[in-house]
Amino acid sequence: MSSIFELFGSIVLDTSGAEKALAKVSKAGQKVGGALGKGFKLAGQAALQMGKVIGTGVAAGTAAMGKLVSSAMSAYASYEQLEGGVQKLFGDDAQNLVMEYARNAYRTAGLSANEYMDTVTSFSASLISSLGKDTVAAAAYADLAITDMADNANTFGANMEDIQNAYKGFSKQNYTMLDNLKLGYGGTQKEMERLLADAQKISGVKYNVESFSDIVDAIHVIQTEMDITGTTAKEASTTIQGSVNAAKSAWTNWVTGLADNSQDFGQLTENLVNSVVTA
């Protein structure tokens, strides 16, 4: 938690640290200046000057810093709680794998690490059970499911929460929200069985409707066949909406990292700068 206070101190009490950090970002701006033009370079220089202004203790800057501190503390409190849930579900064998997926979710699923962990803990107990308590395999299946959710939502312009709720239902053998996925199947067990049968024709794998991991796998097969898979990652680098969503999630991760000195803040900053430049 010391990172946020160190940052605050470097800006309010000693501008040298803030100037170095902002200069680093300014260099990143200069690196892509050829592509984005003189305006981006000027923005980098303006950011450096803003750091000097904030360093003088201007009231507006102090208020903004106070809001940033509050946001960081709140985000980190959620992060701590969610990380505890991941640890409890996946144990020592797989928790690091889940956390790695969570850190990269800003570009693979358009989700912050907190949003990713919140989603993964909502259905993973059933997933782990369906895989014979193999937590490493469950971590991979969970990431597959969340990426497929994001791809589906982005392809059809659906509400991500509706897709998440559908998967939560599947984890409890409730198929009434299968039609939320807009894959051409209704919200009944019979329709889910039809989806599994169609997936079997494509993959040659026999799926069991009572196994949540089989359902996750079968939906992935169907979405891949429909050219839905990979939509989110592609949009994060090629479309305005996708890149903006990635940048928003990277920003949330960065703010969370301000209050957590165990995170790689340099990597979080690089992720944020790269996603903003892309946007």
Side-chain angles (χ1 to χ4, degrees), residues 161-176:
E161 189 175 350
D162 291 341
I163 310 301
Q164 291 169 327
N165 287 336
Y167 271 78
K168 290 176 189 177
F170 304 157
S171 72
K172 301 172 185 175
Q173 298 184 2
N174 180 341
Y175 313 109
T176 56

Side-chain angles (χ1 to χ4, degrees), residues 44-68:
Q45 293 166 8
L48 185 57
Q49 293 303 315
M50 181 59 73
K52 294 177 180 177
V53 171
I54 292 174
T56 65
V58 175
T62 303
M65 180 55 67
K67 186 174 181 180
L68 182 59

Side-chain angles (χ1 to χ4, degrees), residues 59-79:
T62 303
M65 180 55 67
K67 186 174 181 180
L68 182 59
V69 170
S70 177
S71 296
M73 297 288 282
S74 176
Y76 178 60
S78 296
Y79 181 92

Side-chain angles (χ1 to χ4, degrees), residues 148-214:
D148 281 343
M149 291 180 204
D151 288 343
N152 186 288
N154 284 324
T155 298
F156 297 111
N159 187 330
M160 180 65 167
E161 189 175 350
D162 291 341
I163 310 301
Q164 291 169 327
N165 287 336
Y167 271 78
K168 290 176 189 177
F170 304 157
S171 72
K172 301 172 185 175
Q173 298 184 2
N174 180 341
Y175 313 109
T176 56
M177 288 180 282
L178 176 57
D179 55 350
N180 285 2
L181 274 58
K182 300 180 181 179
L183 299 176
Y185 302 91
T188 65
Q189 179 171 326
K190 187 174 181 180
E191 284 291 274
M192 177 60 84
E193 290 171 346
R194 183 167 73 87
L195 184 151
L196 299 185
D198 288 346
Q200 182 179 344
K201 293 173 187 175
I202 298 167
S203 68
V205 175
K206 184 172 177 59
Y207 302 102
N208 181 357
V209 74
E210 295 183 359
S211 169
F212 183 40
S213 59
D214 279 10

